[in-house]
Amino acid sequence: MNTDKKILEYLDRAERYICNPWEQRDPDEFKALMALKAEIYSEIQQKPSGPVHGLGISAQ
């Protein structure tokens, strides 16, 4: 699964989680959400960033 899909999955699951009343929230789902979030952050940090210079501007 690519990072974009993981982010969408995380947001969907997190929304469902927080929409549950406090006493009905599943602690295992919270742990799974935090693991997915950590995985997403790790992938984002590993990806090289794209060019930051505009067209016609060279890095000096």
Side-chain angles (χ1 to χ4, degrees), residues 48-55 57-59:
S49 61
V52 294
H53 304 290
L55 296 174
I57 301 174
S58 62

Side-chain angles (χ1 to χ4, degrees), residues 3 5-7 11 14 35 47 50 56:
T3 305
K5 288 183 181 180
K6 286 181 184 180
I7 291 170
L11 292 173
K47 288 185 178 183

Side-chain angles (χ1 to χ4, degrees), residues 12-60:
D12 183 53
R13 288 174 62 183
E15 180 181 25
R16 282 186 275 133
Y17 180 81
I18 63 171
C19 286
N20 283 328
W22 182 259
E23 63 278 353
Q24 294 178 5
R25 293 181 185 174
D26 181 6
D28 290 334
E29 177 63 9
F30 180 79
K31 290 176 187 175
L33 282 168
M34 294 302 103
L36 181 55
K37 179 178 152 184
E39 185 178 332
I40 291 167
Y41 273 92
S42 175
E43 288 180 11
I44 290 171
Q45 290 175 351
Q46 290 175 5
K47 288 185 178 183
S49 61
V52 294
H53 304 290
L55 296 174
I57 301 174
S58 62
Q60 296 181 5

